[in-house]
Amino acid sequence: PDRTYGMWEYFEQVAQKINPGYKWSRMSMHVGLCGGSYYRTVAILDSLNDEAVAAIPWNQLAERKTKEVFSSDIAMPYLFAARGWRMGAWNDSAQMRNDPVVPSAGPPDAAFKHYAGSFPGGKPAYRLRLAPEDAKLTKPPLVNHSRFAVRCEVCWDLEAYKKRWGSDRCTNHLPFEYSKVIRQRYPQ
């Protein structure tokens, strides 16, 4: 898609303190970063730690743009850009969407193919079953994992998380509050 990210100039300035001369290129803004992505460990640890996430002006972004900045597909490029990491499409990967043979992006003979939710018949890996000898290595999900499955962008509450799961060990321990504007625009 031909897209740019709001406040990209601000993120370039922030990144230049870490990586002088950093430019958040339009090409890197066209790259999706969730399903089918590959990351350097150092980039993940640097960009997705609690302090780096808390340093992003999320409310300001959402007020200027939309609540989708709270979705991982949109949030991750901001996080990587703020730390000066370059992002780009790997030229040996393809995006498979509506056609089972012809990719929507990338070469047909790509070494790696990412299957979108719109792929005919669903994502192939989702239909794979464990070999019987491997089934003993897994357990069903905890009841709370299904009960509290959350799919929203404006619903984070650290205190509710700690009450539900007993600690903040598996999430960002730094508090975050949605602005009044965001709470009014997207009531839960």
Side-chain angles (χ1 to χ4, degrees):
D2 185 23
R3 65 178 171 212
T4 58
Y5 281 76
M7 296 176 52
W8 62 268
E9 301 96 335
Y10 165 82
F11 284 86
E12 277 188 357
Q13 290 175 346
V14 169
Q16 287 175 11
K17 295 174 187 168
I18 300 159
N19 183 356
Y22 177 80
K23 295 289 182 198
W24 192 4
S25 72
R26 297 222 9 146
M27 178 172 284
S28 71
M29 291 183 202
H30 294 185
V31 176
L33 291 181
C34 283
S37 296
Y38 304 91
Y39 304 96
R40 293 180 59 198
T41 302
V42 67
I44 293 288
L45 296 174
D46 179 57
S47 302
L48 304 183
N49 67 70
D50 292 356
E51 291 74 18
V53 172
I56 302 295
W58 297 111
N59 281 311
Q60 189 177 359
L61 282 169
E63 288 171 14
R64 287 184 175 190
K65 289 294 199 179
T66 175
K67 66 181 173 67
E68 278 70 31
V69 301
F70 298 113
S71 295
S72 57
D73 284 357
I74 305 299
M76 288 173 64
Y78 279 113
L79 289 160
F80 287 121
R83 302 296 298 167
W85 291 100
R86 287 178 174 72
M87 300 162 268
W90 186 25
N91 58 7
D92 206 12
S93 64
Q95 174 74 16
M96 304 300 291
R97 290 186 193 230
N98 302 322
D99 188 301
V101 178
V102 180
S104 60
D109 63 343
F112 295 94
K113 294 182 179 178
H114 173 255
Y115 295 88
S118 60
F119 186 76
K123 296 183 178 200
Y126 287 13
R127 296 189 305 267
L128 296 176
R129 298 291 170 242
L130 287 173
E133 64 271 14
D134 293 334
K136 65 181 181 280
L137 301 173
T138 68
K139 295 179 184 177
L142 298 175
V143 173
N144 278 352
H145 289 160
S146 298
R147 184 172 155 217
F148 294 116
V150 176
R151 289 172 180 41
C152 70
E153 287 97 7
V154 184
C155 59
W156 176 246
D157 183 324
L158 180 59
E159 293 309 312
Y161 182 96
K162 290 191 291 190
K163 184 177 177 185
R164 184 175 296 152
W165 302 106
S167 78
D168 62 4
R169 192 182 83 181
C170 294
T171 191
N172 193 325
H173 71 280
L174 300 173
F176 175 80
E177 297 279 330
Y178 295 103
S179 71
K180 183 178 179 181
V181 169
I182 297 301
R183 287 192 318 270
Q184 288 175 342
R185 191 181 296 165
Y186 307 106
Q188 293 294 313

